Amino acid sequence: MLTQDQTTLEISTTGQGLLEITDQVQSWIIQTGIKTGQVTIYCRHTSASLTIQENADPDVVLDLETFFARLVEENPSLYRHTAEGPDDMPAHIRAALTDVSLTIPVTNGRAVLGTWQGIYLFEHRHAPHHRQITLHLIGE
């Protein structure tokens, strides 16, 4: 019988960077008892995003952070929206270039990820933030 469940993860960031949330997502899926289905992971913010990336080599995360810092400059002279600080508009742009929602199959009560894949919250602001990530699982 098809069923669904939903929750919100409260994630505290320490500032800009990628924070792996795979374990929190997998733990919640297991708690639902749903074995087969699909989980949607949604970031409820405009200055943070989600991504699936390699979680085996920490250099991947560092290279991604370095790349996005070069790609989207934190130069207030480039933007009109500067009221919330020099990192705010670049954070919005970085979030627009990445994902705010991920959909992942669930099999045997776990999100189906590749051997080296992890789910990450990508914080684009310098200051620590409390982020809300909504999870919705549908299946049986």
Side-chain angles (χ1 to χ4, degrees), residues 9 11 18-30 39 41 50-56 102 104 109-121 133 135:
L9 300 178
I11 307 291
L18 287 128
L19 178 64
E20 188 171 5
I21 61 170
T22 310
D23 289 344
Q24 293 99 311
V25 172
Q26 295 286 31
S27 292
W28 176 75
I29 292 170
I30 291 166
V39 63
I41 307 164
L50 299 166
T51 190
I52 295 176
Q53 274 301 326
E54 179 178 324
N55 64 359
L102 302 171
I104 304 171
R110 298 183 58 80
V112 178
L113 295 168
T115 303
W116 310 114
Q117 289 183 322
I119 303 164
Y120 288 87
L121 170 64
I133 307 299
L135 307 177

Side-chain angles (χ1 to χ4, degrees), residues 30-89:
I30 291 166
Q31 290 174 11
T32 69
I34 297 173
K35 299 296 181 194
T36 303
Q38 193 170 56
V39 63
T40 300
I41 307 164
Y42 176 71
C43 179
R44 298 172 54 181
H45 304 277
T46 59
S47 57
S49 57
L50 299 166
T51 190
I52 295 176
Q53 274 301 326
E54 179 178 324
N55 64 359
D57 184 350
D59 284 341
V60 171
V61 168
L62 295 173
D63 286 343
L64 282 168
E65 292 168 356
T66 301
F67 174 79
F68 273 92
R70 281 194 312 255
L71 182 66
V72 185
E73 287 184 56
E74 290 183 13
N75 179 348
S77 69
L78 298 174
Y79 312 109
R80 286 186 277 263
H81 177 71
T82 59
E84 297 177 60
D87 68 332
D88 188 46
M89 190 60 219

